[in-house]
Amino acid sequence: MPERLGAVLMASGFGRRFGSNKLLAEVDGVPLYHRAMAALAPAEFDRAVVCSPYPQILAAGERFGFLPLYNLSLIHI
């Protein structure tokens, strides 16, 4: 049986020490979550998922070819 490999991109951080949601911070006009998705290349894996409580990150993940998984447990109440 051929080896199968998956990937999980955890995009759920709050960035408390950073002072805001660092996933949405931009470097040279590109959000950090976008750079992480581009670097991971979901096509290289049997399945790639992005796990996040942020709708904009999940939507972008789907456009990049990730299976979006909503993580409600990380939302602060």
Side-chain angles (χ1 to χ4, degrees), residues 10-24:
M10 300 298 295
S12 299
F14 294 109
R16 285 184 206 103
R17 292 175 292 169
F18 186 73
S20 64
N21 184 343
K22 67 183 166 219
L23 299 166
L24 302 177

Side-chain angles (χ1 to χ4, degrees), residues 9 11-12 21 23-24 33 37 50-62 68:
L9 176 58
S12 299
N21 184 343
L23 299 166
L24 302 177
Y33 74 85
M37 289 177 188
V50 59
C51 183
S52 181
Y54 306 108
Q56 66 271 39
I57 292 175
L58 295 173
E62 196 166 21

Side-chain angles (χ1 to χ4, degrees), residues 3 16 20 22 28 30 40-41 44 49 51 59 68 70 72 74:
E3 185 175 326
R16 285 184 206 103
S20 64
K22 67 183 166 219
D28 294 329
V30 179
L40 193 53
E44 300 294 321
V49 299
C51 183
Y70 183 69
L72 179 62
L74 296 175

Side-chain angles (χ1 to χ4, degrees), residues 6 8 18 21 27 31 39 41 45 47 53 68 71 74:
V8 177
F18 186 73
N21 184 343
V27 175
F45 300 95
R47 167 134 334 149
N71 190 347
L74 296 175

